[in-house]
Amino acid sequence: MLVVFATMLIAGCTQERPGETPSATPAVTARPTVPTEIKQEVANITNQTKQEVANITNQTKQEVANITNQTKQEVANITNQTKQEVVNITNQTKQDIANKTNESKQEVANVVNNTRQEIANKT
């Protein structure tokens, strides 16, 4: 009985009532057309923007290349200066060692000679 009642209820809700017209599906309206002048202006602005972006990109690439080259040159200069300083310090150190070695040899020779002289004087 419940099934019969539910079926009648559904059937009653879906029936058209006398004097009513079925609701119409709204008509799809065509999209408004954009005037040619506006389309052209948009295209011009788009192209100008693309050109400006390309110009900025190229300028940026050139600036990066310039900075990179300048940095490489500065690094090369610093490297060469450092190498020269190392060579200079090495040469000075070698000279200092040679001088100290000669001084030490002279001191040893003096001690030996003095010792010999003292031995000779005692005999």
Side-chain angles (χ1 to χ4, degrees):
M1 176 142 172
L2 183 58
V3 173
V4 174
F5 177 72
T7 304
M8 289 173 46
L9 182 61
I10 292 171
C13 289
T14 58
Q15 285 183 345
E16 290 185 22
R17 294 185 177 89
E20 289 184 5
T21 59
S23 59
T25 304
V28 176
T29 57
R31 291 177 49 190
T33 58
V34 177
T36 304
E37 297 84 18
I38 293 176
K39 287 181 182 178
Q40 187 58 50
E41 188 173 343
V42 168
N44 290 345
I45 292 170
T46 300
N47 289 336
Q48 183 180 358
T49 302
K50 286 180 180 178
Q51 187 58 51
E52 288 177 11
V53 167
N55 291 345
I56 291 169
T57 300
N58 289 336
Q59 289 171 352
T60 303
K61 286 180 180 178
Q62 188 57 52
E63 287 178 19
V64 168
N66 291 345
I67 291 169
T68 300
N69 290 336
Q70 183 179 356
T71 302
K72 286 180 180 178
Q73 187 59 52
E74 289 175 8
V75 168
N77 291 343
I78 291 169
T79 301
N80 289 336
Q81 290 171 353
T82 303
K83 286 179 179 178
Q84 188 57 51
E85 287 179 22
V86 168
V87 166
N88 293 344
I89 291 169
T90 301
N91 289 338
Q92 184 61 50
T93 303
K94 286 179 180 179
Q95 187 60 50
D96 290 345
I97 290 170
N99 292 344
K100 292 292 180 186
T101 301
N102 288 335
E103 288 175 16
S104 296
K105 285 180 180 179
Q106 187 58 49
E107 287 179 20
V108 168
N110 290 342
V111 168
V112 168
N113 288 337
N114 288 339
T115 303
R116 282 183 184 162
Q117 187 62 42
E118 287 177 14
I119 292 172
N121 289 342
K122 289 186 180 183
T123 53

